Amino acid sequence: GTTTRTATISVAIAAAADAPSFTLSVSPSSLNFASGSTAGQQALIYLTNIVGNPGSVSVTVSAGSAPVTVSPTPLSLSQSTTSGTVTVTPTAGAASGTYSVTVTATNGTTTRTATISVAIAAAAPSFTLSVSPASMSFASGSTTGQSATVSISGLAGGVSVVSVATSASGGFTVSPANLNLSSSTTSGTFTVTPAAGTAAGTYMVSI
């Protein structure tokens, strides 16, 4: 009753283990395609900052409204296989613009998303010009005109109207001197006429 002694028991409660987790990344995060290209480009999808064992991670890639196809999808990643490659390919005739492709990774309890920006360039303004016939022959002293047809095709890049100007060397006249062609009127006719007394030789009509 006159003496007291004490002792202690150390009680340790372990901290809860961190839940398995990961970060989803994409490289490159943007892809650029020329107008009309149907050649695929690759993107690397990978997991980083892995905590614990996330198990099997299913990765799906959705093109959404983007005019591209993506393969393969889905991908299966894990702690031991942390990356995979997908190929993004524009469809034929894909409209120009910038689109988003969504990458989603989930292991059932954790979901991560990333985005690939896909840019498809607009077509450069372009068209093809042709003329028929490409050569004319006149008899000496003739002042009778001959007709030729000028045509356009392959209008691209927003070209809707093409102004065609003509000129001739030597003693020739070209009528009309100007033509306006378009996607609805793709050809027109002009007349080349020698002047009286035009010397023999070879002359050029420029279009």
Side-chain angles (χ1 to χ4, degrees), residues 113-190:
T113 60
T115 301
I116 303 172
S117 176
V118 175
I120 299 177
S126 178
F127 63 90
T128 299
L129 177 70
S130 60
V131 63
S132 179
S135 62
M136 296 177 175
S137 297
F138 295 89
S140 176
S142 173
T143 55
T144 301
Q146 295 185 31
S147 294
T149 299
V150 61
S151 302
I152 57 172
S153 60
L155 275 66
V159 175
S160 58
V161 176
V162 177
S163 180
V164 180
T166 60
S167 63
S169 61
F172 287 83
T173 59
V174 181
S175 178
N178 296 280
L179 294 169
N180 284 325
L181 304 181
S182 66
S183 56
S184 58
T185 304
T186 58
S187 64
T189 300
F190 60 89

Side-chain angles (χ1 to χ4, degrees), residues 6 10 31 62 73 149 162 190:
T6 62
S10 176
L31 300 174
S62 172
T73 182
T149 299
V162 177
F190 60 89

Side-chain angles (χ1 to χ4, degrees), residues 5-21:
R5 299 289 187 267
T6 62
T8 59
I9 300 173
S10 176
V11 177
I13 301 176
D18 291 333
S21 181

Side-chain angles (χ1 to χ4, degrees), residues 43-166:
L44 180 68
I45 298 171
Y46 57 99
L47 307 180
T48 60
N49 301 324
I50 297 173
V51 175
N53 184 357
S56 178
V57 178
S58 177
V59 179
T60 58
V61 185
S62 172
S65 63
V68 299
T69 60
V70 183
S71 65
T73 182
L75 295 171
S76 182
L77 303 182
S78 65
Q79 192 173 31
S80 58
T81 304
T82 59
S83 65
T85 300
V86 295
T87 301
V88 180
T89 306
T91 57
S96 62
T98 301
Y99 305 89
S100 291
V101 171
T102 302
V103 183
T104 303
T106 182
N107 66 349
T109 58
T110 301
T111 299
R112 299 285 185 263
T113 60
T115 301
I116 303 172
S117 176
V118 175
I120 299 177
S126 178
F127 63 90
T128 299
L129 177 70
S130 60
V131 63
S132 179
S135 62
M136 296 177 175
S137 297
F138 295 89
S140 176
S142 173
T143 55
T144 301
Q146 295 185 31
S147 294
T149 299
V150 61
S151 302
I152 57 172
S153 60
L155 275 66
V159 175
S160 58
V161 176
V162 177
S163 180
V164 180
T166 60

